Amino acid sequence: MTDYFFKLLTYVRHKEQSIEGLVINPNNNKCSHVTIYDPNCPNDDDFPEESYGSGSALTFNSSELEEIKNPSSQLVEQCKNVIRLLNNN
């Protein structure tokens, strides 16, 4: 199904779009979809369960994403609150 598995809290970017974010629901051997937190995607008030602070959760096929080995300090800073939220659950 997929050759690469993204780990929870890995920074990723979409290969064709200018989307970068943090993996909040990784893919596995049964599902190739990955959910990421995109801090720059406006909060969707119509679907609060898909929103985290000022950003939103977006789901992609794992083949559409690539790992960011050295994320920018801005991206890391923007994702800190979501990391805290996930570590508390």
Side-chain angles (χ1 to χ4, degrees), residues 44-58:
D44 189 344
D45 290 333
D46 291 336
F47 298 97
E49 69 279 2
E50 296 181 11
S51 298
Y52 294 84
S54 61
S56 291
L58 305 172

Side-chain angles (χ1 to χ4, degrees), residues 3-71:
D3 293 334
Y4 189 78
F5 296 102
F6 293 99
K7 294 180 181 178
L8 183 66
L9 303 181
T10 300
Y11 293 95
V12 295
R13 81 171 44 89
H14 192 279
K15 292 177 181 177
E16 297 176 4
Q17 301 176 31
S18 61
I19 296 172
E20 294 184 338
L22 184 72
V23 174
I24 58 174
N25 188 19
N27 57 323
N28 57 45
N29 60 353
K30 294 181 181 177
C31 180
S32 64
H33 291 99
V34 178
T35 303
I36 70 168
Y37 167 72
D38 177 0
N40 296 313
C41 182
N43 186 315
D44 189 344
D45 290 333
D46 291 336
F47 298 97
E49 69 279 2
E50 296 181 11
S51 298
Y52 294 84
S54 61
S56 291
L58 305 172
T59 301
F60 299 101
N61 190 295
S62 62
S63 65
E64 298 175 292
L65 302 171
E66 60 189 4
E67 184 175 353
I68 301 173
K69 298 289 185 188
N70 296 304

